[in-house]
Amino acid sequence: MTDDLLARHRAVLPSWMPLYYAEPIELVSGSGRRVTDAQGRSYLDFFGGVLTNMIGYDIPEIREAVERQIRTGIVHTSTLYLIRQQVELAEKVARLSGIPDARVFFTNSGTEANEAALLVATNHRRSHQILAVRNSYHGRSYAAMGVTGNRGWSASALNPLQVAWLHSGERLRGLLARLDPADRIEAAVEDLREVLATQTAGNVACLIAEPIQGVGGFVHGPDGLFAAWKKVLDEHGILFVSDEVQTGWGRTGEHFWGYQAHGVTPDLLTFAKGVGNGFALAGVVGRADVLESVPAISFSTFGGNPVSTAAGNAVLDYLLDHDLQANAARTGAILADGLRAAVAGLDCVAEVRGKGLMLGVEFVRPGTTEPDPALTTRVFEACRAGGLLAGKGGLYGNVLRMGPPLTLTEDEAREGLAILVDAIRSCAQAEVAP
Ligand SMILES: Cc1ncc(COP(=O)(O)O)c(C=O)c1O
């Protein structure tokens, strides 16, 4: 019984690890883009375990690759021995990264990937000064929390790094809000120059940024912002780290990596979530001279293990064979266009934003930019009641987030869109009713 499981969950797991929904659900089976809960209710999944079930559920090619590896009897060897699956995956990731002469280090989570990126950047530059972006999320270790610019996800002020904060360049909130894109880029560059001159001692190691802020509510600066920032960074030799944990592998539709919208190549790129389609697989890929900046032995016991890298190889082969980036563009456009048309005239929706299959709807008090997290929660619950799993996020908890598997079909996109639109309209109407 779910009720019993909920009580048991609460008795032994910490309360700071939240559960979705007033009545939390246990997902017990899945196929394609659909999951079934312990009560036998079926849902179309538009959140994919936080953008992690990137190909979908029970995909034969991935299941078989993992089963093949398990049947060899080798689940783990440690990185003290050659791991064929790991080398093959590293070759693919290095090639796809767009970074010349790249090296890859595998970890188990996005947090560890960013930790590794920060380690090599700080060693390479002999500096622990970092630039990070307001409203960002990079993970839950001390260093990753240290570069996280979101109070709701910062569980400690202890920080091994010296961090200075940039404006994100987003359209809706903050000092640069509502400027047109070119002016926002100019203002963000001015901000960077000022931060470097006033808040640092000069030799900064790197800037770490998400092309689209995930936990932050799918907000992003104008295309080209990273290139404008990088021009300034290059004047100082500062490295640029693109956190592609949510934006990677074609999810944005228009590009394979989020950074490519900016006409820039990062020195380091971190990845996680979707590449394992649920298996614990993450890592950092970067310029050889930077990634080699580890003056001691360093390894990860489970990072890049034979099972997770077997999954990773199957995921990337599937992704490329089926051109899922193009599918993300196609199905994402159905969702984005449909949502924009449906909310036109609804003054409780400030913005429908995002790219490809990474879309957010931000709810505000009518006619203002004041966040409305209560309305967001009602829409979120109404989606679930209608048979659609979505996500929630944003600095103020007022953004509905959609990050479905990249295998989403056009029919499923329309089906989910109809549920979303119903939920938004019915909750918005209830809001204005006396
Ligand atoms: C952009 C980004 N970076 C890093 C992380 C941390 O990844 P993990 O939870 O695998 O440690 C996340 C997780 O949501 C993320 O969205």
Side-chain angles (χ1 to χ4, degrees):
M1 283 268 307
T2 296
D3 277 352
D4 184 37
L5 189 60
L6 178 59
R8 287 166 57 198
H9 175 108
R10 288 191 169 138
V12 290
L13 295 166
S15 59
W16 42 260
M17 197 176 74
L19 285 164
Y20 265 172
Y21 302 116
E23 286 176 31
I25 53 181
E26 178 196 7
L27 301 178
V28 293
S29 64
S31 176
R33 276 67 52 200
R34 289 182 203 274
V35 289
T36 304
D37 73 11
Q39 261 66 44
R41 288 171 301 210
S42 158
Y43 304 91
L44 184 58
D45 188 357
F46 267 23
F47 207 37
V50 197
L51 288 72
T52 299
N53 296 310
M54 179 170 75
I55 310 295
Y57 296 86
D58 198 24
I59 304 300
E61 288 87 338
I62 300 169
R63 178 167 27 79
E64 283 157 18
V66 169
E67 283 172 355
R68 256 196 317 277
Q69 183 58 43
I70 290 173
R71 271 201 303 276
T72 65
I74 300 286
V75 169
H76 174 76
T77 64
S78 91
T79 51
L80 296 172
Y81 307 100
L82 289 167
I83 301 174
R84 184 169 299 274
Q85 302 279 14
Q86 184 181 92
V87 174
E88 281 175 11
L89 184 61
E91 287 167 347
K92 286 178 196 159
V93 171
R95 180 174 55 78
L96 290 167
S97 72
I99 299 172
D101 190 26
R103 299 290 183 277
V104 186
F105 175 67
F106 290 108
T107 64
N108 308 291
S109 67
T111 297
E112 293 166 89
N114 283 328
E115 190 78 24
L118 292 165
L119 172 74
V120 297
T122 51
N123 276 338
H124 188 74
R125 293 278 297 152
R126 312 299 310 152
S127 162
H128 76 308
Q129 296 184 83
I130 308 288
L131 299 168
V133 181
R134 297 173 189 206
N135 194 42
S136 58
Y137 179 71
H138 296 291
R140 55 175 301 283
S141 63
Y142 284 115
M145 273 189 294
V147 290
T148 285
N150 182 328
R151 172 62 194 96
W153 293 75
S154 300
S156 171
L158 283 180
N159 193 346
L161 305 167
Q162 184 85 37
V163 183
W165 298 96
L166 302 182
H167 287 286
S168 71
E170 70 156 301
R171 194 188 71 85
L172 201 63
R173 300 179 187 285
L175 283 183
L176 316 187
R178 283 176 291 276
L179 295 175
D180 70 40
D183 289 344
R184 241 180 303 144
I185 290 180
E186 204 181 306
V189 168
E190 228 172 89
D191 173 52
L192 168 59
R193 285 194 188 282
E194 190 178 271
V195 165
L196 283 171
T198 60
Q199 298 179 41
T200 75
N203 62 325
V204 170
C206 68
L207 163 62
I208 183 166
E210 299 156 270
I212 299 177
Q213 296 182 323
V215 166
F218 292 179
V219 294
H220 58 88
D223 288 356
L225 171 62
F226 287 0
W229 271 344
K230 188 142 191 327
K231 248 193 198 162
V232 180
L233 301 181
D234 287 347
E235 291 167 15
H236 301 267
I238 300 169
L239 302 171
F240 175 58
V241 184
S242 190
D243 179 338
E244 302 271 356
V245 166
Q246 297 212 12
T247 45
W249 317 112
R251 177 165 292 281
T252 64
E254 56 179 27
H255 297 288
F256 196 75
W257 302 109
Y259 77 73
Q260 289 165 324
H262 295 270
V264 70
T265 304
D267 300 292
L268 295 163
L269 178 161
T270 55
F271 56 89
K273 292 201 186 290
V275 67
N277 202 48
F279 287 89
L281 179 63
V284 54
V285 50
R287 271 172 42 192
D289 59 326
V290 181
L291 216 79
E292 293 291 357
S293 302
V294 179
I297 292 173
S298 193
F299 79 9
S300 165
T301 295
F302 296 120
N305 70 71
V307 174
S308 66
T309 47
N313 279 304
V315 165
L316 289 191
D317 291 348
Y318 191 101
L319 183 95
L320 298 172
D321 289 350
H322 294 80
D323 196 2
L324 295 188
Q325 180 186 326
N327 190 58
R330 206 165 36 242
T331 51
I334 293 173
L335 281 175
D337 293 349
L339 276 168
R340 289 202 175 102
V343 305
L346 281 185
D347 52 8
C348 60
V349 174
E351 195 166 57
V352 174
R353 61 172 172 254
K355 293 179 177 183
L357 285 177
M358 193 169 177
L359 294 169
V361 183
E362 172 146 0
F363 294 93
V364 290
R365 302 213 189 285
T368 73
T369 54
E370 199 186 321
D372 195 339
L375 172 60
T376 315
T377 300
R378 284 198 294 281
V379 175
F380 177 70
E381 292 279 354
C383 285
R384 178 246 165 122
L388 183 79
L389 301 184
K392 226 168 26 136
L395 193 56
Y396 308 100
N398 67 324
V399 181
L400 198 68
R401 291 194 293 160
M402 273 69 68
L406 304 187
T407 47
L408 190 74
T409 67
E410 294 186 19
D411 282 348
E412 288 164 345
R414 287 189 198 95
E415 179 187 336
L417 173 66
I419 300 171
L420 275 167
V421 168
D422 266 2
I424 294 171
R425 284 205 179 126
S426 60
C427 293
Q429 264 161 21
E431 192 90 336
V432 292

